[in-house]
Amino acid sequence: MSTRRKITFNKRITLLALKPSPGRGEPTETARAIVWADVSDVGVTTKFSALQAGAEVSFSVIMWRKEFKDYTHCDFDGIRYKIIETGAAANPLHIRLLLNRG
């Protein structure tokens, strides 16, 4: 029997591609997509590794790789998060995003 956790895409997130505006203006949104994903807290090892690299991680998101383009941010439960890292998930059809609030 496999000990791998079954992934359930049960949360809707909004992926955003934001382009910085000159000066202090709000960033310009260049793309948006609403997708289903598995949103979870990150483990202690991931949190400490990120802190050592000078980053803070709020959540981990696993979603279909084919739905991810060059997005820079994610909106989840009305809060905007920056995508600080993308990487491989257990299934090669999925992608893992690490999010930081901000």
Side-chain angles (χ1 to χ4, degrees):
M1 181 168 184
S2 175
T3 59
R4 217 187 294 186
R5 183 177 80 110
K6 183 175 180 178
I7 302 295
T8 305
F9 296 152
N10 58 0
K11 306 275 191 220
R12 284 185 359 166
I13 63 171
T14 303
L15 296 169
L16 305 165
L18 301 178
K19 181 180 174 185
S21 294
R24 295 182 181 242
E26 282 291 313
T28 305
E29 184 178 312
T30 59
R32 171 184 288 253
I34 298 173
V35 299
W36 288 95
D38 177 54
V39 180
S40 61
D41 285 327
V42 292
V44 174
T45 303
T46 303
K47 279 192 180 196
F48 284 128
S49 294
L51 286 173
Q52 286 178 331
E56 191 173 325
V57 179
S58 301
F59 289 108
S60 173
V61 171
I62 297 178
M63 58 176 279
W64 292 107
R65 183 177 293 277
K66 66 181 179 182
E67 295 180 325
F68 186 80
K69 303 283 188 259
D70 293 326
Y71 296 106
T72 59
H73 292 76
C74 173
D75 188 301
F76 175 63
D77 281 345
I79 300 171
R80 184 179 291 172
Y81 296 90
K82 182 177 172 93
I83 299 171
I84 59 171
E85 187 177 315
T86 61
N91 182 334
L93 298 175
H94 299 158
I95 189 169
R96 181 177 184 216
L97 313 176
L98 295 180
L99 309 177
N100 181 23
R101 188 169 180 172

